[in-house]
Amino acid sequence: KAQETLIKSQHNSEMKELEQNYKAQETLIKSQHNSEMKELEQNYKAQETLIKSQHNSEMKELEQNYKAQETLIRSQHNSEMKESKEEVVRNLLKTSLTIEEIAKATNMSIEEVTRLKSSNK
């Protein structure tokens, strides 16, 4: 019986040591896992920030290009409208209308109509 008690005691001691080793390894693995997860999360956040920054930069560039195109189109449109209006005034100058009547009808100043009349000669 003494030998049996000694064997049980050694067995219990070995089991406790194995359990302690297991718990220490488990704690180490959890710690490594947590550390790896934090690193992955930091990398993810850094990539997300970079992607958002690139996206914002691309959106600003697209917006600038759009505004530049819009400005160009408006400028071309205004130029074409002015040319068309001047052509209408030139044609009206060929009629019996007075400069004052043409200015009033086209919403141009008398000076502008007079200038067009002078350049038409």
Side-chain angles (χ1 to χ4, degrees):
K1 259 192 167 182
Q3 207 174 15
E4 186 179 329
T5 303
L6 181 62
I7 291 172
K8 281 183 183 180
S9 174
Q10 286 176 337
H11 176 73
N12 287 341
S13 177
E14 290 172 355
M15 287 304 290
K16 283 182 183 177
E17 188 179 338
L18 284 173
E19 187 177 349
Q20 288 172 346
N21 287 341
Y22 172 79
K23 285 183 179 179
Q25 287 178 344
E26 184 180 31
T27 302
L28 179 62
I29 289 169
K30 283 181 181 178
S31 173
Q32 289 172 338
H33 174 76
N34 289 340
S35 177
E36 290 170 356
M37 289 305 292
K38 284 180 184 176
E39 186 178 344
L40 285 172
E41 185 178 354
Q42 288 171 345
N43 288 341
Y44 172 79
K45 286 181 179 179
Q47 287 176 342
E48 185 179 33
T49 301
L50 179 61
I51 289 169
K52 284 181 181 177
S53 173
Q54 288 173 336
H55 175 74
N56 289 341
S57 177
E58 290 169 359
M59 289 304 292
K60 284 179 183 175
E61 186 178 344
L62 285 172
E63 185 179 356
Q64 288 171 344
N65 288 342
Y66 172 80
K67 285 181 179 179
Q69 288 176 344
E70 184 181 30
T71 300
L72 179 62
I73 290 168
R74 285 181 193 271
S75 173
Q76 289 171 339
H77 175 74
N78 289 341
S79 177
E80 291 169 0
M81 289 299 292
K82 183 179 178 188
E83 288 176 17
S84 295
K85 195 174 193 180
E86 288 176 355
E87 185 179 341
V88 168
V89 170
R90 284 188 191 98
N91 288 334
L92 289 174
L93 285 167
K94 295 175 187 174
T95 69
S96 61
L97 292 173
T98 66
I99 289 177
E100 290 78 14
E101 292 171 326
I102 295 172
K104 187 174 182 180
T106 59
N107 202 26
M108 290 180 81
S109 69
I110 293 173
E111 291 79 19
E112 289 174 299
V113 175
T114 304
R115 181 185 55 81
L116 287 172
K117 183 177 183 180
S118 300
S119 68
N120 223 14
K121 290 182 178 181

